[in-house]
Amino acid sequence: MFKHLQKWFVAHFLGRPVQRARLVSKDGRCNIEFGNVEAQSRLIFFVDIWTTVLDLKWRYKMTIFITAFLGSWFFFGLLWYAVAYIHKDLPEFHPSANHTPCVEHINGLTSAFLFSLETQVTIGYGFRCVTEQCGTAIFLLIFQSILGVIINSFMCGAILAKISRPKKRAKTITFSKNAVISKRGGKLCLLIRVANLRKRLLIGSHIYGKLLKTTITPEGETIILDQININFVVDAGNENLFFISPLTIYHVIDHASPFFHMAAETLPQQDFELVVFLDGTVESTSATCQVRTSYIPEEVLWGYRFAPIVSKTKEGKYRVDFHNFSKTVEVETPHCAMCLYNEKDAQARMKRGYDNPNFILSEVSETDDTKM
């Protein structure tokens, strides 16, 4: 019993890997929070109220939407009730038979609310209407109509803009679960697969990466999120991608790459986060969008390549099998980038005749065979 509990404790606590902190989640959300922001800085969000409303979550946006309309209807309902009360149009004042009210058929707060609703949304049932007896009612009618158009335009525009944001288009761009390191074209490369789930293209697509890691400068300053540019390319470059089928983008691990001094054994012990960005313009709306994802050392597989995903059918169509989208196959790969380049240099020197172990210099003694 004790051994069983000991194994359970080791498996669930001691054997559990340490969860690494990541700035960007796999679905592109940024894991960052701001603390000790001054109150004056927070007021800037209300100055740019349009962007603030667009960035709100749907539950908060719908709460503001409902509150804005119900609040304005009830507020102006109180004003219409006050006009009727001041003009003594209510039944409790027992108006005479020849009394002309400011608003016909307002008998209380409920009817005043209904007239406010009819006025602002321009329903106009015709049962309640403003008369020409008091200018206050005419002015209030004009003011509520103008304010109602402003509230209508702002809230409906915010809902429409929220629905049509290119952020939703980015949901149909997916990256492979893992990144792999293997040889490609005789070079050691870091490869990532990306796919467009829609047949509509992203115009002017551009892909690039940032390596985030903690570095210490020569002056002793510690930079937590130091950014290093990572160039990703396909065979035709990294701009204006023909993004109709899944692409395998790669980063060449050369002497200028931050992965050059890493090896298969030391990679899991590294502390970095590789963030990959894909920018493009949505073809149907001409709006720009950005897709993000990230990879930590545990998600980078050394010595693997991606399984084939595109095939051709008998009907002459190209078929993409997303079952193999993130599937990897183990392949023979150099132990490290430095080993590959040292091997290439050695082979080049052997071809040039330098340091060739098969080349042996033998001395020949000259003899004079000529006799007089």
Side-chain angles (χ1 to χ4, degrees):
M1 183 66 181
F2 177 75
K3 291 183 179 180
H4 177 73
L5 292 176
Q6 184 179 10
K7 290 181 180 179
W8 181 87
F9 179 80
V10 171
H12 287 77
F13 293 96
L14 298 182
R16 182 176 297 177
V18 179
Q19 184 69 24
R20 292 179 184 264
R22 54 197 316 161
L23 179 64
V24 180
S25 62
K26 297 296 288 185
D27 57 356
R29 291 177 297 178
C30 295
N31 180 27
I32 191 169
E33 62 180 20
F34 300 98
N36 300 324
V37 180
E38 297 180 359
Q40 185 178 0
S41 300
R42 294 181 182 273
L43 294 177
I44 300 177
F45 292 96
F46 294 97
V47 174
D48 187 13
I49 188 65
W50 176 255
T51 307
T52 302
V53 172
L54 286 184
D55 291 338
L56 289 176
K57 296 181 178 180
W58 273 108
R59 54 180 176 270
Y60 302 125
K61 187 184 294 292
M62 295 306 300
T63 301
I64 295 176
F65 182 85
I66 296 172
T67 303
F69 283 101
L70 289 180
S72 61
W73 296 338
F74 184 74
F75 173 73
F76 281 100
L78 292 177
L79 294 181
W80 287 115
Y81 180 81
V83 170
Y85 185 86
I86 295 173
H87 200 254
K88 299 183 184 302
D89 298 335
L90 300 176
E92 57 261 29
F93 292 105
H94 304 286
S96 60
N98 59 352
H99 177 77
T100 304
C102 287
V103 181
E104 295 282 356
H105 302 291
I106 287 188
N107 302 319
L109 186 59
T110 303
S111 56
F113 175 79
L114 291 176
F115 179 72
S116 173
L117 171 63
E118 297 168 12
T119 301
Q120 187 164 328
V121 300
T122 65
I123 295 177
Y125 290 119
F127 182 68
R128 301 178 182 88
C129 61
V130 177
T131 63
E132 67 276 6
Q133 287 300 313
C134 50
T136 305
I138 298 175
F139 173 79
L140 184 60
L141 177 67
I142 296 173
F143 181 71
Q144 184 178 6
S145 300
I146 295 176
L147 186 62
V149 171
I150 295 175
I151 296 176
N152 234 14
S153 303
F154 183 87
M155 297 309 303
C156 294
I159 295 295
L160 180 61
K162 181 76 171 180
I163 295 175
S164 60
R165 290 186 76 178
K167 181 179 179 181
K168 301 303 179 182
R169 175 64 176 91
K171 298 295 184 181
T172 55
I173 305 296
T174 180
F175 288 88
S176 58
K177 181 180 179 181
N178 298 99
V180 297
I181 295 179
S182 60
K183 291 177 63 176
R184 185 175 186 135
K187 300 177 182 179
L188 191 64
C189 301
L190 184 143
L191 302 98
I192 297 173
R193 180 171 278 174
V194 57
N196 180 12
L197 300 181
R198 291 184 181 271
K199 293 184 179 181
R200 291 286 183 178
L201 295 176
L202 282 180
I203 303 173
S205 300
H206 173 62
I207 194 161
Y208 57 96
K210 300 286 184 180
L211 187 70
L212 308 179
K213 60 185 303 185
T214 302
T215 59
I216 301 177
T217 63
E219 295 77 17
E221 179 185 3
T222 301
I223 304 177
I224 300 297
L225 294 176
D226 189 22
Q227 301 184 14
I228 303 174
N229 290 327
I230 302 295
N231 295 322
F232 282 98
V233 296
V234 293
D235 294 335
N238 64 343
E239 295 184 356
N240 300 323
L241 305 177
F242 185 47
F243 201 12
I244 191 64
S245 63
L247 297 176
T248 300
I249 61 174
Y250 61 90
H251 163 71
V252 179
I253 304 178
D254 52 12
H255 292 81
S257 173
F259 296 96
F260 183 76
H261 297 285
M262 298 182 189
E265 289 78 11
T266 61
L267 180 63
Q269 286 77 38
Q270 299 292 328
D271 185 15
F272 67 83
E273 180 179 355
L274 176 61
V275 184
V276 184
F277 303 86
L278 175 64
D279 299 338
T281 303
V282 182
E283 186 179 15
S284 55
T285 61
S286 298
T288 58
C289 69
Q290 183 182 86
V291 193
R292 300 180 294 267
T293 191
S294 69
Y295 299 92
I296 56 179
E298 288 80 359
E299 296 169 346
V300 180
L301 306 179
W302 194 294
Y304 288 83
R305 64 171 176 84
F306 290 110
I309 192 174
V310 180
S311 60
K312 195 171 183 179
T313 62
K314 296 180 180 179
E315 294 79 11
K317 295 183 178 180
Y318 292 94
R319 183 177 184 271
V320 179
D321 185 8
F322 280 94
H323 179 72
N324 294 335
F325 180 72
S326 294
K327 186 177 180 180
T328 57
V329 179
E330 189 173 3
V331 292
E332 184 179 354
T333 306
H335 174 76
C336 60
M338 191 175 297
C339 301
L340 176 63
Y341 284 97
N342 289 340
E343 180 182 354
K344 286 185 176 181
D345 292 341
Q347 292 177 356
R349 287 195 300 268
M350 290 178 65
K351 290 182 179 180
R352 291 194 302 265
Y354 301 120
D355 298 334
N356 192 338
N358 296 324
F359 181 80
I360 301 176
L361 178 62
S362 60
E363 296 184 359
V364 180
S365 59
E366 296 184 359
T367 57
D368 190 5
D369 295 335
T370 305
K371 294 184 179 179
M372 295 297 297

